[in-house]
Amino acid sequence: MVTRTQLSRLGLFDAKVPRYTSYPTSPHFKNDVKPGDFSDWIEAIPENSDISLYLHVPFCRRLCWFCACRTQGTASGEPVGAYVETLKDELTLLKRHLPRGVRLSRLHWGGGTPTLLSAAQMRDLAAAVREAADFADNYEFSVEIDPNEIDAARLDALFDSGMNRASIGVQDFDPDIQKTIGREQSFETTKRAVDMIRERGIQSLNADILYGLPNQTRSKIVDSVQKLLSLSPDRVALYGYAHVPWMAKRQQMIPSDALPRPDERLELFETARKLFVWDSYDEIGIDHFATKSDGLSVAARSGTLRRNFQGYTDDTSEVLVGLGASSISKFPQGYAQNAPATSAYTKAIRAHGFSTVRGHSFSKQDNLRARMIEMLMCDFRVDTAALVRDFDTTRAEVTSILKAANAELENLLVVDDTGLFVPREARPLTRIIARSFDAYELSSAGHSSAI
């Protein structure tokens, strides 16, 4: 049995580790990946294959203090309209380089606040996407929806454009916590948005909720989770709030002395986790929950669960193309990131070129270790035979890496001829285990505590 003392000794409460939605993580990207690399990688996509497409909208009507995403506030619609036109130009440029017959298995609009767009802008942008690449069979088109920034006209525009999965941010329903984090959003407002989504026949609903927020207590998170459960989301992400005011300056508005202690964070997570499980949700990886019919649960049962920049996914496409300022693309060859500043991104696109400014070209070791980390994060096991089959490696090399990881974790893991397995009581340490597979120097930039 793993004790609280062991968890603490192994770094659960104080280690700063990546979320490992990519490997290597973005602090290790370099400036040697250029627009030419991005266009070459696009052109290397096999004809008639399926890819994922992500569109980033960095604007928000208000800037929530807890958020560490790359966003900017706007009081008018003018910069949003100009940005949509730039996105359309980027889509036209993408179309010129896409091989014949490429289709979209996944389309996701994130931000920022994509629902800041007007209904007309939404229809216009969606049409531009379809002009660049049409949907594949069984596609999924998801949009991050701010319940404070949505109405019937905009939902109609999204539904008519093919949206079949909606994602809402909840964070916490407690009014005092909402004021402290700069995100006031009542349960009634959220329920009204969910009702409008369901009324339009959109069957798939994601929701995000946070633990580790200032002034958050066990009773408060119980209340918030129960309210969320009453909305019957199909998929829930239970993320730990990452307090990184040295990176996200707006978080300086949040009093650090109001944050729960690390051991209290674990209690908050466990309390919420048990409520989702008691309500018959499947546990997915380290921080997601899904109904048994949801795609994530199906993928977890079939061994096809994957991990990308949005967290856990059932999308098996080998290519994720990110458009918009700061977006990151993933190809079999490596990662490519667009210019983070909207001005630099816009300048590059208007000059009829892509805006790639940094990235990473994969080595053989990158591919091997990335898959090991993904296996661990998705399935709590590493399959040696699959790694030897799919990568240029040997059973001895894989076993050596696994044994070294187990030694770092005081032999709490199971390592045998089949690979590595993480017992349930050691699963809070999953990101720390993943770090032991990471061959790059650890940077604390943007990383959060392991729980």
Side-chain angles (χ1 to χ4, degrees):
M1 184 68 180
V2 181
T3 66
R4 195 68 72 88
T5 300
Q6 279 181 294
L7 293 176
S8 177
R9 186 169 62 245
L10 292 170
L12 180 66
F13 299 136
D14 54 13
K16 301 295 183 183
V17 290
R19 295 188 186 276
Y20 287 112
T21 53
S22 72
Y23 179 82
T25 56
S26 58
H28 297 290
F29 291 1
K30 299 277 195 289
N31 297 329
D32 56 359
V33 176
K34 304 295 185 183
D37 300 298
F38 182 79
S39 59
D40 287 347
W41 294 348
I42 291 286
E43 292 170 1
I45 297 171
E47 291 185 356
N48 302 312
S49 61
D50 293 346
I51 67 170
S52 297
L53 181 64
Y54 171 76
L55 267 61
H56 186 65
V57 179
F59 297 98
C60 292
R61 190 81 65 193
R62 54 180 183 167
L63 292 178
C64 304
W65 301 336
F66 74 90
C67 181
C69 297
R70 182 87 191 191
T71 58
Q72 59 192 84
T74 180
S76 72
E78 184 176 345
V80 178
Y83 184 82
V84 169
E85 292 303 310
T86 305
L87 272 178
K88 289 164 56 181
D89 290 342
E90 191 178 17
L91 282 162
T92 300
L93 187 59
L94 174 67
K95 181 183 178 182
R96 292 195 198 120
H97 291 273
L98 274 177
R100 183 176 57 189
V102 171
R103 301 189 302 171
L104 304 179
S105 61
R106 295 291 188 277
L107 171 62
H108 183 72
W109 292 7
T113 309
T115 50
L116 201 64
L117 274 60
S118 68
Q121 288 170 336
M122 289 175 174
R123 293 179 188 275
D124 202 20
L125 183 58
V129 170
R130 299 288 292 277
E131 179 65 24
D134 207 352
F135 288 136
D137 297 336
N138 300 316
Y139 77 92
E140 187 174 279
F141 174 16
S142 56
V143 179
E144 294 176 13
I145 293 175
D146 180 351
N148 288 306
E149 192 65 57
I150 195 64
D151 54 29
R154 283 178 280 185
L155 272 178
D156 286 339
L158 290 172
F159 179 71
D160 293 344
S161 299
M163 182 183 77
N164 52 15
R165 180 177 288 277
S167 182
I168 59 169
V170 169
Q171 323 321 337
D172 193 286
F173 284 120
D174 182 80
D176 292 333
I177 293 176
Q178 290 182 356
K179 289 179 181 178
T180 306
I181 65 174
R183 173 63 177 256
E184 296 187 44
Q185 175 184 313
S186 69
F187 173 74
E188 290 72 26
T189 297
T190 305
K191 184 178 186 304
R192 184 162 54 249
V194 169
D195 288 344
M196 287 195 297
I197 290 168
R198 297 295 197 192
E199 286 165 3
R200 281 155 181 78
I202 299 167
Q203 299 299 316
S204 300
L205 177 67
N206 297 3
D208 296 346
I209 190 168
L210 295 178
Y211 69 90
L213 291 170
N215 301 318
Q216 198 174 45
T217 62
R218 186 174 181 275
S219 61
K220 287 182 177 181
I221 202 168
V222 166
D223 183 64
S224 289
V225 170
Q226 289 177 334
K227 285 178 177 174
L228 177 59
L229 288 170
S230 73
L231 302 177
S232 300
D234 302 271
R235 187 180 298 178
V236 177
L238 175 62
Y239 292 131
Y241 167 61
H243 192 60
V244 287
W246 58 89
M247 186 186 78
K249 300 300 183 185
R250 71 190 76 163
Q251 289 187 354
Q252 294 176 2
M253 302 289 290
I254 296 175
S256 57
D257 58 359
L259 296 172
R261 299 189 311 271
D263 60 316
E264 292 173 333
R265 283 174 63 96
L266 180 59
E267 287 290 346
L268 291 168
F269 173 81
E270 280 297 318
T271 297
R273 183 190 71 80
K274 289 175 181 177
L275 288 172
F276 289 120
V277 172
W278 286 340
D279 213 50
S280 298
Y281 283 75
D282 287 341
E283 292 185 70
I284 308 296
I286 62 171
D287 53 17
H288 279 53
F289 303 84
T291 59
K292 298 192 182 304
S293 60
D294 184 81
L296 284 190
S297 290
V298 175
R301 290 194 296 270
S302 65
T304 58
L305 186 67
R306 306 303 295 267
R307 192 161 170 83
N308 64 16
F309 294 107
Q310 277 77 57
Y312 290 102
T313 180
D314 56 350
D315 181 26
T316 56
S317 298
E318 292 299 318
V319 172
L320 168 63
V321 175
L323 301 185
S326 79
S327 282
I328 301 175
S329 300
K330 181 185 178 183
F331 301 90
Q333 298 90 338
Y335 295 115
Q337 183 172 18
N338 287 352
T342 306
S343 56
Y345 157 75
T346 300
K347 182 180 179 180
I349 301 300
R350 288 181 178 172
H352 309 294
F354 290 115
S355 69
T356 310
V357 293
R358 62 198 292 261
H360 180 87
S361 297
F362 294 143
S363 68
K364 290 181 180 179
Q365 272 292 306
D366 289 336
N367 289 322
L368 171 64
R369 290 175 181 269
R371 184 62 184 131
M372 293 176 74
I373 289 172
E374 186 176 47
M375 285 179 169
L376 177 75
M377 300 288 285
C378 291
D379 306 317
F380 301 110
R381 67 173 64 247
V382 177
D383 185 337
T384 298
L387 293 172
V388 172
R389 180 194 66 213
D390 297 337
F391 298 92
D392 182 15
T393 187
T394 64
R395 179 173 288 274
E397 180 185 19
V398 173
T399 300
S400 176
I401 295 172
L402 300 184
K403 285 184 175 180
N406 198 21
E408 287 185 29
L409 273 295
E410 300 181 355
N411 296 311
L412 292 176
L413 315 176
V414 177
V415 177
D416 57 23
D417 290 342
T418 67
L420 176 146
F421 175 73
V422 185
R424 172 165 289 282
E425 62 268 20
R427 290 180 184 178
L429 298 164
T430 299
R431 285 166 58 200
I432 291 177
I433 302 168
R435 184 182 65 181
S436 68
F437 298 154
D438 192 334
Y440 290 86
E441 183 180 353
L442 184 66
S443 166
S444 62
H447 298 160
S448 61
S449 63
I451 186 64

